[in-house]
Amino acid sequence: MLKSFFRAAGISLLIHGAAVAQTLPPTVISVDLKQDQGPLPPIWAWFGYDEPNYTYMKDGKKLLTELSRLSPVPVNVRVHSLLVTGDGEAALKWGSTNAYTEDKNGNPVYDWTIVDRIFDTFIQRGMRPIAQIGFMPEALSSHPQPYRHHWKPGDDYNDIYTGWAYPPNDYKKWSELVYQWVKHSVSRYGQTEVEKWYWELWNEPNIGYWKGTTEEYIKLYDYTADAVKRALPTAKIGGPEVTGPNWNVSAKFFRTFLDHVVSGKNYVTGKTGTPIDFITFHAKGNPKVVDGHVRMDMGAQLRDIDRGFAIVASYPTLKKLPIIIGESDPEGCAACSEDLHPQNAYRNGTMYSSYTAASFARKYDLAKAHGVNLAGAVTWAFEFEDQAWFRGFRDLATNGVDKPVLNVFRMFGKMDGNRVATTRPAGYSYNRLRDSSVRAEPDVNALATHTGKSASVLIWHYHDDNLPGPAAPVTVQVSGVPGKQARLTHYRVDQQSSNAYEAWKRMGSPKAPTTAQIAELERAGQLQTVGKPQLVTVNKDGRIELPFTLPRQGVSLLSLAWD
């Protein structure tokens, strides 16, 4: 009923939206191609998901192929449960590889068949795994039973934390398992390839994902890092993938771990400190249903990032290490569909895509403000095989059809070169958005890049409230353009463009679309342009003015090229 209500509400609001005021006050965004702000690292080219066995399934392979193609750089992929015991059956919040078992005498038995199938799928597409070392094999768990869970939406989330979440019963056997995995990876893929991977330990060890103490996690990290470096001294190892550090419990765990890395006594070597090549933590927003509609909270996510960066920056010897925000999302549970969690009704439509554009731009701003090295921000969203169409999971595609949010990542993939300055007379700074989210006027702003022969300007019209609102008249003024003409291609994600969800609703929301309908939905899910590419005139002072109207929760990418 709730799902039907929100979908119905979305339709009625869209209809009502046609009757509301048509425009907001004009917004002028200035882009100065001569104000180079340095490289714009592709922090968006990072994705992850809970269920590793979806990787090599039909729709999983299709989506991974699309993700690999949207980026000019290798896409990094992070998945859970790579060492979990089981038969490889995929289920919500569950996965297994059976990489480690023991014979009747307690001797290790290694089987890399399923792990290889997962990593082969990545490598064949030019992608790089964030090789998550976890979770605990049944034979190594200090509390193995119960082991396999059967969680489903609506169940207590804590039901997922079973025998795989416990410390090992033998740290030396664990260390040998890690050593053998890294050695096997080098043998299969080559040292040059594996040196590019990120090896990390566990996930969110400050909550139920880890049933040991903080000190036991630190001990496990020491044994893990030692094993990785023994197998491949040039391998990259990091952690601790804590939950959002704006929570004091998480921040305490984070600092305790980093203190140990810097100055603690190593459990394996007895020396001071332990290897770390990159640092990880998570950041999540907090949407709610307010007065019958979904209200996002981007500020909560940015406060997590801000606090995490501040903690890392407080360690002089660690400040310049790469930071990976291992999960960076509007909220916490990808497998919690909108059926039972109506606050997640933002996921199918353009609110998710505009939120993504606006939030990623501010991640860059926060990293610059703290002087830290942000390498990646993992979008914890993939696909859920053989589920109902547009069920409302936090995913990038449904049944092989791309959702609007995926097209924002396609836009990011077209942004080449260095970041350049963008200004507008008023609006949301990253500080204001961090502190108060977007609860007053909409956030209409831009992110821009420049190469010697091109420029790209990403513009979004975002608001936390998923309500209809007037479109924004925008004029983008690009200065520093050489020559007399430039070729403009205008890409768009909104209710009409690059939006398979709205196309599906126009079909009547079929539960079992026909072959022809699926083909139509696949076309609707691709990134589309507003009209055809056109030549625009550069005035005498090297400036181009590009006026257009951007609907609420819409995103535009203006791509300019010249000879």
Side-chain angles (χ1 to χ4, degrees), residues 20-347:
V20 301
Q22 293 300 303
T23 59
L24 290 167
T27 296
V28 178
I29 296 173
S30 299
V31 179
D32 188 347
L33 303 185
K34 294 183 178 180
Q35 289 193 39
D36 190 304
Q37 298 183 339
L40 191 75
I43 65 170
W44 45 268
W46 303 66
F47 300 93
Y49 45 102
D50 288 80
E51 300 85 2
N53 306 103
Y54 287 159
T55 300
Y56 48 79
M57 297 178 74
K58 172 178 58 68
D59 291 337
K61 289 194 292 186
K62 180 179 181 181
L63 180 54
L64 286 169
T65 298
E66 291 188 295
L67 292 179
S68 70
R69 291 174 177 171
L70 64 82
S71 170
V73 299
V75 170
N76 296 270
V77 189
R78 175 178 185 256
V79 294
H80 290 340
S81 303
L82 291 171
L83 296 178
V84 169
T85 304
D87 59 6
E89 178 187 2
L92 295 179
K93 304 293 294 184
W94 176 259
S96 62
T97 66
N98 224 43
Y100 180 93
T101 55
E102 293 182 357
D103 65 19
K104 62 181 181 180
N105 296 317
N107 297 311
V109 177
Y110 304 108
D111 184 349
W112 307 113
T113 303
I114 296 178
V115 172
D116 288 347
R117 190 180 305 166
I118 293 166
F119 280 21
D120 286 354
T121 306
F122 299 152
I123 301 302
Q124 288 164 3
R125 289 161 175 77
M127 308 173 99
R128 291 178 184 157
I130 306 172
Q132 185 182 111
I133 303 171
F135 299 116
M136 195 59 61
E138 186 172 7
L140 281 181
S141 175
S142 57
H143 191 288
Q145 297 303 322
Y147 193 78
R148 168 70 197 267
H149 71 72
H150 297 276
W151 181 88
K152 61 184 184 300
D155 291 350
D156 186 339
Y157 194 86
N158 291 315
D159 290 350
I160 72 170
Y161 305 130
T162 52
W164 56 262
Y166 285 83
N169 53 37
D170 189 320
Y171 281 84
K172 290 184 179 179
K173 282 187 174 180
W174 168 266
S175 180
E176 184 65 18
L177 166 59
V178 175
Y179 175 83
Q180 293 295 336
W181 185 12
V182 178
K183 291 290 285 186
H184 170 79
S185 299
V186 172
S187 175
R188 187 174 184 85
Y189 303 108
Q191 178 175 329
T192 301
E193 172 62 33
V194 179
E195 284 175 334
K196 299 172 184 175
W197 301 1
Y198 293 89
W199 295 86
E200 63 165 10
L201 176 63
W202 225 258
N203 177 71
E204 298 184 336
N206 60 298
I207 62 171
Y209 276 93
W210 177 245
K211 290 295 187 179
T213 64
T214 304
E215 199 61 30
E216 285 173 318
Y217 174 82
I218 287 170
K219 181 178 180 179
L220 192 73
Y221 182 86
D222 284 354
Y223 273 90
T224 302
D226 179 76
V228 170
K229 294 293 188 178
R230 281 191 292 111
L232 180 60
T234 51
K236 293 179 285 191
I237 178 69
E241 292 287 6
V242 292
T243 60
N246 197 45
W247 179 30
N248 62 347
V249 172
S250 179
K252 181 180 179 181
F253 190 109
F254 199 12
R255 285 194 177 277
T256 301
F257 171 78
L258 295 179
D259 287 343
H260 173 79
V261 165
V262 172
S263 58
K265 182 180 178 180
N266 191 293
Y267 276 93
V268 179
T269 67
K271 298 179 181 180
T272 299
T274 196
I276 190 166
D277 300 296
F278 61 96
I279 298 171
T280 59
F281 63 86
H282 295 177
K284 305 284 186 175
N286 185 31
K288 296 178 180 178
V289 175
V290 178
D291 297 330
H293 71 272
V294 175
R295 173 176 287 171
M296 308 298 282
D297 190 356
M298 191 184 297
Q301 184 183 1
L302 296 182
R303 288 189 291 275
D304 272 340
I305 296 171
D306 189 49
R307 183 76 181 280
F309 287 170
I311 290 172
V312 175
S314 70
Y315 292 83
T317 60
L318 304 179
K319 182 176 181 179
K320 295 304 180 182
L321 287 181
I323 295 173
I324 300 170
I325 307 174
E327 297 180 21
S328 189
D329 305 290
E331 35 68 39
C333 178
C336 298
S337 69
E338 68 177 89
D339 301 64
L340 300 172
H341 304 273
Q343 71 272 20
N344 294 337
Y346 74 90
R347 294 168 163 181

Side-chain angles (χ1 to χ4, degrees), residues 351-363:
M351 170 160 270
Y352 192 8
S353 46
S354 61
Y355 181 108
T356 297
S359 63
F360 267 84
R362 277 41 185 255
K363 295 171 196 179

